[in-house]
Amino acid sequence: ELSPEENLTYKYRSDFYIEIGNYKSALKDCDKLIELNKNDPEWYEYRAYCYEEMEEYTSALKDYDKAIDLAPNNPYHINNRASFYDNIEEYELALKDYAKAITLNSDNYQTTRALNNRALIYEARGEDKLAIDEYTKAIELMPEDPLYYSNRAKRWSHLGDFPNALADFKTAIELESDNPEWYEYRAYCYEEMEDYTNALKDYDKAI
């Protein structure tokens, strides 16, 4: 078995190879880590990601499955497989995994990640109200994260509910005031509500 320091060396080198897009070399380091740490799901995750980037989806799925077999109640691994399914447009399988990660509810970050990603699938299907419900659940778990307010606001806006959209964009901006995109979206809400003075102020801030 590798020492912790050797594990980190292989990991850091595989990170480097991944960063520069050299997935074949990263795979070799992942293979070595798996060879010497057969029961550690992290390295299967690493290798799965490399396979996914190389569009070797069968091998990627095999490794995502193995990571889950080794840690069946870890929502991180379930979310990663769900994201893989999402990326290859297997949305029903993605939804199934997101639902499992949410049901485990053992980690607020992973639960809200699953809720957010499930909402994005609903959005793509034109199911805005379902998406809003998911973002609302995410906000209840992590009310300090502006992303969920922003995402919910966009769905309110898409439905033409500009007062609710405006309220959510205001909260997102209060939590993270340096995002120009949110000022632009809030300006649009003001404009639709015929509040042109505030609309112009926000357009100016966005620029």
Side-chain angles (χ1 to χ4, degrees):
E1 184 174 341
L2 291 178
S3 69
E5 292 77 14
E6 288 172 312
N7 271 341
L8 286 175
T9 300
Y10 278 107
K11 177 185 181 296
Y12 291 151
R13 188 169 69 178
S14 68
D15 284 341
F16 168 74
Y17 284 136
I18 288 170
E19 181 70 22
I20 65 174
N22 187 346
Y23 300 109
K24 287 185 178 180
S25 293
L27 274 175
K28 292 179 181 178
D29 282 343
C30 292
D31 287 342
K32 185 66 174 178
L33 286 162
I34 288 169
E35 177 188 344
L36 297 166
N37 301 271
K38 291 187 181 350
N39 294 319
D40 191 333
E42 181 178 3
W43 313 128
Y44 292 95
E45 287 269 0
Y46 260 68
R47 191 169 69 178
Y49 176 77
C50 293
Y51 280 131
E52 184 176 354
E53 289 299 307
M54 296 167 66
E55 299 184 1
E56 294 185 21
Y57 298 134
T58 301
S59 294
L61 180 57
K62 183 179 178 181
D63 276 348
Y64 283 123
D65 287 346
K66 181 64 176 178
I68 292 171
D69 287 343
L70 290 168
N73 294 316
N74 189 325
Y76 171 77
H77 302 307
I78 296 166
N79 268 329
N80 286 344
R81 187 175 67 180
S83 295
F84 165 74
Y85 283 136
D86 205 341
N87 289 338
I88 63 171
E89 300 182 356
E90 291 285 354
Y91 298 120
E92 292 305 320
L93 292 172
L95 287 171
K96 184 178 178 180
D97 271 353
Y98 288 137
K100 184 175 180 181
I102 292 165
T103 300
L104 287 170
N105 196 29
S106 58
D107 179 321
N108 276 0
Y109 175 78
Q110 293 300 330
T111 302
T112 54
R113 175 187 171 194
L115 288 165
N116 184 72
N117 288 341
R118 191 163 69 174
L120 292 173
I121 293 176
Y122 290 145
E123 283 184 29
R125 292 178 168 183
E127 298 175 313
D128 284 333
K129 290 185 178 179
L130 286 176
I132 286 170
D133 287 344
E134 300 297 275
Y135 293 133
T136 299
K137 293 172 187 174
I139 288 168
E140 289 170 354
L141 288 172
M142 295 187 71
E144 73 283 359
D145 193 323
L147 175 66
Y148 306 128
Y149 294 98
S150 172
N151 285 351
R152 187 173 67 176
K154 292 173 185 176
R155 291 306 95 202
W156 288 126
S157 180
H158 191 253
L159 291 172
D161 188 340
F162 296 108
N164 271 324
L166 183 65
D168 275 348
F169 281 127
K170 282 183 176 179
T171 302
I173 289 169
E174 287 171 2
L175 292 168
E176 188 178 307
S177 61
D178 59 351
N179 189 324
E181 178 188 15
W182 296 342
Y183 288 100
E184 183 177 347
Y185 275 111
R186 190 172 69 173
Y188 174 73
C189 293
Y190 279 129
E191 186 177 354
E192 288 297 310
M193 296 169 67
E194 299 184 1
D195 185 346
Y196 301 125
T197 300
N198 280 316
L200 182 57
K201 287 179 181 178
D202 272 353
Y203 281 129
D204 287 344
K205 289 178 182 177
I207 295 169

